[in-house]
Amino acid sequence: MNKNLRIYLTVVVCAIIGLATLFLRKPAHRFMAVSGVVWTTEYNITFQGPASIADSIEGVFNAVDRTASMFNPKSVISRINANDPTVEPNAMITELYKCSARINSESGGCFDPTVAPLVNAWGFGFKHGVVTDSATIDSIRQFVGFDKTHISADGRIEKTDPRVVIDFSSIAKGFACDELARLFMRNGVENFIIEIGGEIFAHGCNRQGKPWHISIDSPIDQADSVIHQSAMVISLSNHGVATSGNYRNYKIVDGKRVSHIINPATGYPEQSSLLSATIVAPTAAEADAYATACMVMGTERSRSMIERNDAISGILIYADSLNRINKWVSKEFDNKE
C-alpha cells in the first residue's frame, strides 16, 4: 500500500468516526422552567435536564406534605401532635427533627419548632387568635420548649407533655428545596436552582455557565408600605440560602405594631434592630432554620453564632440608633460557591 493510499484511508476512517460520534452523541438538555403554587406560596424551578423529571416534582411536594404539613390532619407531624400511638416515623420526619434539634442547641433555644402555640396565640400561625393578657402567655409557655421532646430508641418522636405542638413550618420549605435537589441529582441533573417561597437551593451553573446569582433585599419600611432595594447580589452554587425578616409580616395589637417573630423564651414578639437575616448553608433547610433563629437572637448574638460556625455565612441588615439601614457581611461569605 503506497503512502498516498494510507493517508487517504486514514482520513476516511477519521471522518467516519467523527460523523458517528456526532450522530450518536446525546444532545445537551436545554434549561427548563417550572413554576406553580404549593402550601399557599409560589415556587420557581429552573433546571437543565429531561422534561420527564418535571413530573416528579409534584411527588416530592406530596411526600413533604404527608410528613410535615400542619394543615394535613393525616400527616406524620399532625398525628404526632395528636398523640397518636400508632404513627410510624419516616426518614423525612427524622431528618427534620435532628436538624431542628442541632440548630435549637446552637442558637440557645432561639430556633424552636414548639413555639407554634405562641405564634397561633398572637394570630400568625395555622390557627388564629389574639393574646390579651400575660396570663395567657404564661399558661402557653408551660408546654413550649424543644427540650420537652426527644427521639426514642425505636426512632419515634416523643413528647414529655402531650400539649406540646411541634411545627416544622419554619424549616419545611427549605427542606422541600433539598428534597427536590436530591431528586435532580439522583437523575443526573447537575445544573438547577429551586426557590420555594423565598427559600433557595442552587447547584451547578446557570445558562451562561456561571454560578447562580441571588439578589438580597435591603428593606425600607415607610408607613404602610415596604420598599425593596438590593443590598447586594451573591453568587450561589451547591448551597442553600434563606432570608428571614420582621418587616413584612406583622399585626397591630392594642395600637402597637408587633412582629410575627415570637421569642420562645419570653412568649412575646421579639423587638430588635435586626430587620432581616440571610444565611447561606450547605442545605436550604439549615439556612431556613438559622435565618429564623437570627431574628429571635438579634444582631449581635446572630453575628456571634455565624462567626462560630464555619459551615455557614450570613448577611445581617439592621437599623442603627438613627434608624439608618446598615449591613454586616460575614468574612466567609464570598467563599460560598
Side-chain angles (χ1 to χ4, degrees):
M1 183 182 297
N2 61 42
K3 181 178 179 181
N4 290 336
L5 181 58
R6 285 198 303 271
I7 294 173
Y8 171 76
L9 290 175
T10 300
V11 171
V12 170
V13 170
C14 289
I16 292 173
I17 292 174
L19 289 171
T21 301
L22 179 64
F23 285 107
L24 293 176
R25 182 194 306 162
K26 293 182 179 179
H29 290 297
R30 62 185 179 88
F31 276 88
M32 297 182 58
V34 179
S35 61
V37 176
V38 65
W39 307 310
T40 70
T41 192
E42 292 184 1
Y43 68 86
N44 297 280
I45 302 169
T46 300
F47 67 95
Q48 184 183 30
S52 58
I53 198 70
D55 297 334
S56 302
I57 293 173
E58 190 68 24
V60 171
F61 288 148
N62 290 337
V64 175
D65 186 86
R66 289 193 300 269
T67 297
S69 174
M70 300 297 287
F71 298 95
N72 181 350
K74 295 182 180 180
S75 71
V76 175
I77 198 61
S78 291
R79 293 175 63 197
I80 290 172
N81 287 331
N83 303 303
D84 182 348
T86 67
V87 63
E88 293 290 338
N90 61 21
M92 283 188 179
I93 203 73
T94 300
E95 184 176 348
L96 281 164
Y97 184 91
K98 290 183 176 179
C99 179
S100 296
R102 175 167 53 82
I103 297 174
N104 173 265
S105 176
E106 289 182 31
S107 65
C110 289
F111 176 73
D112 191 336
T114 70
V115 76
L118 287 168
V119 176
N120 289 335
W122 283 99
F124 292 108
F126 57 90
K127 293 182 179 180
H128 299 292
V130 176
V131 170
T132 57
D133 55 71
S134 60
T136 303
I137 299 277
D138 291 339
S139 65
I140 295 174
R141 284 180 58 205
Q142 294 177 24
F143 52 92
V144 169
F146 208 60
D147 58 350
K148 295 178 174 63
T149 71
H150 64 276
I151 292 185
S152 65
D154 61 356
R156 296 176 183 273
I157 297 175
E158 298 182 344
K159 305 178 293 181
T160 59
D161 187 323
R163 297 174 297 172
V164 170
V165 175
I166 303 171
D167 181 3
F168 291 123
S169 297
S170 59
I171 192 174
K173 289 185 294 184
F175 180 77
C177 290
D178 298 331
E179 284 295 297
L180 286 170
R182 295 181 186 114
L183 166 72
F184 286 159
M185 288 187 278
R186 283 197 305 269
N187 287 274
V189 177
E190 292 290 332
N191 302 317
F192 57 84
I193 185 169
I194 303 160
E195 181 264 329
I196 305 175
E199 325 309 341
I200 296 171
F201 188 88
H203 193 274
C205 56
N206 60 21
R207 288 180 174 87
Q208 291 72 43
K210 297 180 179 180
W212 301 92
H213 294 132
I214 311 294
S215 178
I216 307 301
D217 271 354
S218 178
I220 300 175
D221 191 3
Q222 291 186 346
D224 59 351
S225 64
V226 177
I227 299 173
H228 297 275
Q229 293 181 352
S230 180
M232 64 185 294
V233 175
I234 66 171
S235 295
L236 187 72
S237 185
N238 309 338
H239 278 77
V241 61
T243 297
S244 185
N246 64 10
Y247 52 91
R248 290 193 183 100
N249 193 0
Y250 61 88
K251 288 182 180 293
I252 304 299
V253 178
D254 296 331
K256 296 181 180 180
R257 172 172 160 167
V258 296
S259 166
H260 74 292
I261 304 297
I262 310 300
N263 189 326
T266 66
Y268 285 85
E270 185 62 24
Q271 305 293 331
S272 79
S273 62
L274 186 59
L275 299 177
S276 72
T278 298
I279 299 293
V280 174
T283 67
E286 291 171 293
D288 209 352
Y290 280 118
T292 300
C294 286
M295 296 311 301
V296 176
M297 299 174 78
T299 306
E300 293 306 317
R301 292 177 64 194
S302 297
R303 178 173 175 172
S304 296
M305 180 182 69
I306 294 167
E307 291 178 328
R308 288 195 307 268
N309 191 332
D310 291 337
I312 66 174
S313 52
I315 302 168
L316 305 178
I317 298 181
Y318 60 97
D320 64 16
S321 59
L322 298 177
N323 208 32
R324 295 174 301 194
I325 304 298
N326 287 270
K327 175 179 66 180
W328 175 83
V329 180
S330 62
K331 63 181 181 181
E332 304 91 355
F333 198 88
D334 290 338
N335 296 323
K336 297 294 183 186
E337 293 187 357

